[in-house]
Amino acid sequence: MSAEKNRSIIEQRTALRPKLAMVLGSGLGAFVETIEEAVTIPYDDLEGFPATGVSGHAGTLVIGNLSGVAVAVLSGRAHYYEHGNPAEMRPALETLQAVGVDRLILTNSAGSLDPDCPPGSVMLIGDHINFSGSNPLIGEPSDARFVGLTEAYDPEIRAALKAAAAKNEIDLSEGVYMWFSGPSFETPAEIRAARTLGADAVGMSTVPEVILARFLGLRVAALSVITNLAAGMTGAELSHQETKDMAPVGGARLARIIATFLEGQANDGR
Ligand code: HPA
């Protein structure tokens, strides 16, 4: 099994045994530079890890200390729109679980449907809408595939992230993230439909990882860095360049929230 093989590769390269992991979204890779005693393992060295093909995504597993807490950071993810496989992150998440990770914080770049949550802000995902028509557990034979998602986003971690944001005087609104398959951006009509359906932000990732992580029994939280107002809201065309340019702005806020959140965890002795 690839997760066990990967576990021994990882355990040979670092003595750290992180219980908390993060996945970094588009343009958020600068975050890894703040990790101390970092050991970097290219995805190519690990079985089943994605070959990341999206510019702005690195493709490395970084294990080190952040605010005194051991963390495993996946810098770069596979997206459903790359090969049409919504379960492409499954081996990576199973590997994290095999090395002892029990909590996962996912990050992404997203378009906002709320003018009060403009580009550069950060949104805490409280719930999601799967609008892709796909699911990473299709084909999973065990009954565990019928995973409950009523509290997919862990209330305790969410509360701790909100407290960390407040401590930094950063607005952190909580909202609903709607997963579109991409890679084309949404149309203005799709955004109007998304608003009617209850979405606050839209994006092309994260939801399949949330479903897989809950399937594996990991506790999950997710944060969106808002890079743009959604299609049709400003008259301007959307672009991946804008996502990459704007992600570091909100990314700096995100990094402060995470650093303070982890300090709290370190003090809790976790
Ligand atoms: N739509 C979908 N994905 C995105 C967007 C968007 O507007 N912005 C960043 N990722």
Side-chain angles (χ1 to χ4, degrees), residues 122-133:
V122 185
M123 187 188 91
L124 179 66
I125 301 181
D127 201 349
H128 73 232
I129 300 170
N130 179 354
F131 198 64
S132 73

Side-chain angles (χ1 to χ4, degrees), residues 109-111 185-186 202-204 227-228 230 238 243:
S109 294
F185 284 107
E186 300 73 28
V202 292
M204 309 176 192
T227 55
N228 56 282
L238 307 187
T243 302

Side-chain angles (χ1 to χ4, degrees), residues 69-101:
V69 178
V71 290
V73 179
L74 292 173
S75 182
R77 57 154 57 93
H79 300 80
Y80 176 47
Y81 60 70
E82 289 171 67
H83 307 104
N85 174 13
E88 207 153 332
M89 290 296 284
R90 183 166 170 170
L93 297 180
E94 285 175 337
T95 297
L96 292 176
Q97 187 190 39
V99 299
V101 165

Side-chain angles (χ1 to χ4, degrees), residues 149-234:
L149 296 175
T150 308
E151 275 199 337
Y153 298 86
D154 191 89
E156 199 183 314
I157 306 178
R158 270 156 55 203
L161 287 167
K162 283 183 200 169
K167 217 168 178 178
N168 285 286
E169 296 180 1
I170 295 171
D171 282 333
L172 183 66
S173 61
E174 185 170 298
V176 173
Y177 175 89
M178 191 157 176
W179 176 34
F180 281 81
S181 78
S184 54
F185 284 107
E186 300 73 28
T187 64
E190 286 166 345
I191 293 304
R192 289 195 295 276
R195 189 175 289 115
T196 302
L197 291 174
D200 299 295
V202 292
M204 309 176 192
S205 69
T206 305
V207 168
E209 293 149 32
V210 170
I211 295 169
L212 286 166
R214 294 304 299 141
F215 167 72
L216 296 172
L218 305 179
R219 294 169 62 195
V220 177
L223 295 152
S224 289
V225 165
I226 302 301
T227 55
N228 56 282
L229 291 175
M233 290 176 67
T234 65

Side-chain angles (χ1 to χ4, degrees), residues 133-144:
S134 193
N135 192 296
L137 296 176
I138 291 174
E140 162 62 35
S142 74
D143 273 1

